Amino acid sequence: MDQAPKLLDQVRERIRFKHYSIRTERAYVHWIRRFILFHGKRHPNTMGASEVEAFLTHLATKGNVAASTQNQAFSALLFLYRDVLGQQLDAVSSVERAKKPERLPTVLTRDEVRTVMAHLDGTNALMAKLLYGAGLRLMECVRLRIKDVEFNRLEIMVRDGKGGKDRVTMLPDSLAEGLAEQVRRTVEIHRQDLASGYGSVYLPNALARKYPAAPQETGWQYVFPASRLSVDPRSGKTRRHHVDEKRLQRAVKAAVRKAGITKPASCHTFRHSFATHLLESGYDIRTVQELLGHSDVRTTMIYTHVLNRGGKGVRSPLDVA
C-alpha cells in the first residue's frame, strides 16, 4: 500500500499545480518547515490561528525580521492551511506586525549612472543599461526571451512581471545594436545545443505541453543564456537556463564601489533612477506608471520627491538675501 506523501511534498505538489515559481516554492517550504519546528514538530492539522499568531509575532519581536519577510511567512502559512490542508484560518488579528519603514528609494544622478556604467563591460554592461534604459526589474531582464524583443518598433514586451502582469516598455535606440548582437550570439549557442541533442528551454505554465515544439524554438530562448547547461530541479531535464542574476548583482556592486559612490546602490537602483529621470524630463506620471507596470499610481508617485528641491521645495532662510 502506497504511503501518503509527506506534508512538505504535498506543499510542493500544490505549488507546482498552481504554477508558482521555484523561488516561491523554496520560500514557502522554508517558512512552513520553520513554523513546524517552532511548535515542536507538531503537525499543522493540530494547530490553528493562535499558533500562527505566535510564530509571526516571534518573527517580529525576537527575530527582528523585516516587514516583507514576515508577510512572506504569513503568505506561506495561509497557503498551507487554505490550499494544502483545506482549512480556513480564523481571523489572525493580534499578530504583532514588523514595522515597515517608510523609506524613499535610492536614486542615482545621470552623471552617477554614467560613472557606474563606465566600470561595467560586456554582457553585464548591456544588462545594466537595460535596467536603467527600459526600467526593467533584475529578473525581468535575465528572463527576457528573444521573441519579446521588437527591434523594428524599439519595444520590449515584459512577460509575467510582478503580479503576473505583461507590459510594454521601450528598447533604447542606443542599445538596439548591442542587443541584436547578443541575440545573434544566443542563436549560435542554441544551434550548437540542438546539434548536441539539447536546445530545450523551460516554458512557464505548462506551455510545453500545449506547444510541444516551442521549448526548442529560437524565439523562446533566453536573450541572456547561462554559460553552461544545467539540470532543471523540477523536471530533471538538462537545459540551458538564463544567466544567474547574482553575476550582475556582484558586477554592479563592484562598479558602484569603483565609481566611489557612497549611496547604497544596487541593480534595482537603476529602475528607480529610470522613473525619476523620466519625471524630471517632464513625462506624465501615468506614462511612467505604465512603463514601470505599477497597478496603482500612488506607487509611482514616490518618485516625485526628487522633483522638489531639498526640504520639500522650501528655500532655506540662510539662502535668502
Side-chain angles (χ1 to χ4, degrees), residues 133-151:
L136 299 182
R137 298 179 177 91
L138 174 60
M139 295 310 299
E140 291 171 347
C141 181
V142 300
R143 290 172 177 163
L144 186 63
R145 299 186 192 250
I146 292 175
K147 69 179 184 63
D148 294 324
V149 181
E150 180 50 70
F151 289 101

Side-chain angles (χ1 to χ4, degrees), residues 309-311 313-321:
R309 296 179 61 182
V314 178
R315 193 175 184 191
S316 169
L318 186 65
D319 298 329
V320 178

Side-chain angles (χ1 to χ4, degrees), residues 124-137:
N124 288 330
L126 179 58
M127 294 175 71
K129 288 176 181 178
L130 276 174
L131 298 183
Y132 173 63
L136 299 182
R137 298 179 177 91

Side-chain angles (χ1 to χ4, degrees), residues 73-147:
F74 195 11
S75 296
L77 297 179
L78 287 176
F79 178 85
L80 170 66
Y81 279 94
R82 182 188 62 234
D83 294 276
V84 180
L85 301 178
Q87 300 178 21
Q88 289 294 333
L89 285 176
D90 296 332
V92 183
S93 56
S94 61
V95 174
E96 183 166 344
R97 295 291 187 183
K99 186 176 181 181
K100 187 174 183 179
E102 295 183 6
R103 294 197 181 101
L104 294 175
T106 298
V107 174
L108 299 175
T109 65
R110 288 174 170 83
D111 285 341
E112 287 172 335
V113 169
R114 283 190 285 269
T115 303
V116 172
M117 295 298 180
H119 290 282
L120 293 167
D121 56 20
T123 305
N124 288 330
L126 179 58
M127 294 175 71
K129 288 176 181 178
L130 276 174
L131 298 183
Y132 173 63
L136 299 182
R137 298 179 177 91
L138 174 60
M139 295 310 299
E140 291 171 347
C141 181
V142 300
R143 290 172 177 163
L144 186 63
R145 299 186 192 250
I146 292 175
K147 69 179 184 63

Side-chain angles (χ1 to χ4, degrees), residues 240-253:
R240 189 177 296 277
H241 202 46
H242 57 65
V243 66
D244 186 349
E245 67 277 8
K246 293 184 180 64
R247 169 182 145 181
L248 181 58
Q249 289 174 319
R250 288 192 293 266
V252 168
K253 184 176 180 180

